[in-house]
Amino acid sequence: NSNISKNIFGINAALWDGDLLDNPKFKVQTRDFVRRVNHGIIRYPGGLRADDDHWKEILDNKDWMIDTDEFLEWLKKTGSKAMFTVNFGSGTEQEAAAWVKHANIDKKAGVKYWEIGDEVFGNWHPYYEKYGKDGGTIYGKRARKFIEAMKRVDPSIKVAVVGVLDGAWNDNVLKETGDIADGIIIHHFPQHFGEENDFAMLSAPQELAQAILRLRKVVDKWSDRYNKDKKIELWLTEWNSVDFNPGPQTLSVEQGLFVADYLGMLATLRIDNAQYWDVHNDLTEERGDYGYLTRSAEPCMNCPRPSYWAFRMASDALRGKLYKTEIRGDNDSFLTTYYTINDGKKSLLVINKSPYSDYDLKIDIPGFRGRATIQTLDKTYEILKEGWANDPSKKTKTVDVSEPIRVGKRSLSLITVE
């Protein structure tokens, strides 16, 4: 068994997302949806934009973009804390240090988590030629200056450097920063654009394990080399199911199953920090959307998608201590389970990935007996309903866990014994 980090349930909020703020047309405000999930850490200003936008300029402009002060005010209403991504591309270490001063000294916001840039290693990044093409050394040397300047303002902050899931980039960056960086940042979008496949997506959470084990070896090597009293942390600050231009799969219940299973794997792998992409995005031409809530431009305004309900169920379930479970049966490859105990509440999250079969589960867990509640997310949740109307917790049933429990095909079930 192991304690689950409270920081794995984070999400991204983008500075261009006006739907974050209260809108009289919304039946339920974004802050209320977000607060109910209990995200922990919300990352801002989001994505490649972070390496082009200047925080002070946005603050002074008072335009349609969500500025630092508006974000910090909104954050208070959600009960979450901030992670800021500083502008490494067109920005300077002085600008980053001034942001730390504004947030933590002037505003007393206590923003603890900071990232040095976003995906500089990729040839899609506007500053790749300048800072990423050499494989991480130039980035690492310059990132070091950022960290030093920022920690002079507030030594209590944690700062992470850009990494990759696998490759020499990590060694090159940590060689330059391993003694002062608190974490290394990775992003993970397992499927490629236009190649979405439900079976591939639903097996992706388990495939993350090998990549994380390899990455942890590299990170621990540099922690040990610098004799750090604290290990360099792993921050997975963007994740979703497909790398760009998402298709209809992202609106499906399968996406919900992926989200819940992925959060379960983050708990299992003891990731330090993770942020889903994202609160709102936009419908693409391919008819998909990364956001777990719809936008104000859609007929159902600010409505939860299956990914939202799944995120909320997983966030409720995956707290406290996680215990190892095993499934014995012919179809164990289709089922994933996560069992937790948190202050006397016992929760079993069951993901049935099979498109073909319902299963009757005979549960044999010490102390998990008697009357329980069960809530379910299944294909009926692909039909959007206004506001909270499609809330799985409103359709909770009572069951006796000494009897077999039926889990439907392509469904997520949360079984709880208080």
Side-chain angles (χ1 to χ4, degrees), residues 188-218:
H188 186 227
F189 296 82
Q191 301 179 106
H192 296 308
F193 157 60
E195 296 175 7
E196 289 102 325
N197 170 297
D198 288 345
F199 285 105
M201 175 175 71
L202 293 172
S203 62
Q206 282 66 40
E207 287 162 11
L208 182 65
Q210 289 308 313
I212 294 298
L213 290 173
R214 287 194 300 272
L215 180 61
R216 198 165 255 134
K217 276 186 187 152
V218 174

Side-chain angles (χ1 to χ4, degrees), residues 326-347:
E326 64 172 319
I327 297 155
R328 298 194 194 108
D330 299 335
N331 293 295
D332 53 357
S333 62
F334 280 122
L335 293 169
T336 318
T337 53
Y338 300 97
Y339 178 63
T340 60
I341 301 179
N342 186 28
D343 291 336
K345 183 170 107 172
K346 297 165 181 159
S347 302

Side-chain angles (χ1 to χ4, degrees), residues 22-23 25-27 33 65 73 99 118 131 141 159 165-166 193 265 301 304 317 337 408 414:
D22 287 7
N23 181 333
K25 292 180 179 172
F26 292 168
K27 287 231 169 100
F33 280 125
M65 288 205 271
E73 277 307 304
W99 202 10
D118 180 271
Y131 298 127
K141 285 184 192 302
V159 188
L165 259 183
D166 217 344
F193 157 60
M265 283 308 295
M301 284 195 251
T337 53
L414 172 54

Side-chain angles (χ1 to χ4, degrees), residues 36 312-319 338-350 361 363 365 367-376 392-393 396-402 405 407 412-418:
R36 176 58 186 82
R312 203 184 78 180
M313 287 167 74
S315 177
D316 287 351
L318 297 165
R319 303 284 176 170
Y338 300 97
Y339 178 63
T340 60
I341 301 179
N342 186 28
D343 291 336
K345 183 170 107 172
K346 297 165 181 159
S347 302
L348 182 66
L349 199 61
V350 184
L361 287 190
I363 299 168
I365 299 173
F368 197 79
R369 50 177 63 97
R371 290 176 81 72
T373 58
I374 182 167
Q375 55 174 290
T376 303
S393 67
T396 301
K397 293 178 180 159
T398 306
V399 290
D400 178 357
V401 293
S402 62
I405 305 289
V407 291
L412 171 67
S413 303
L414 172 54
I415 307 163
T416 310
V417 175
E418 296 280 356

Side-chain angles (χ1 to χ4, degrees), residues 255-271:
Q255 174 81 9
L257 306 191
F258 163 79
V259 165
D261 198 15
Y262 202 100
L263 287 165
M265 283 308 295
L266 296 182
T268 305
L269 296 168
R270 299 208 292 280
I271 298 292

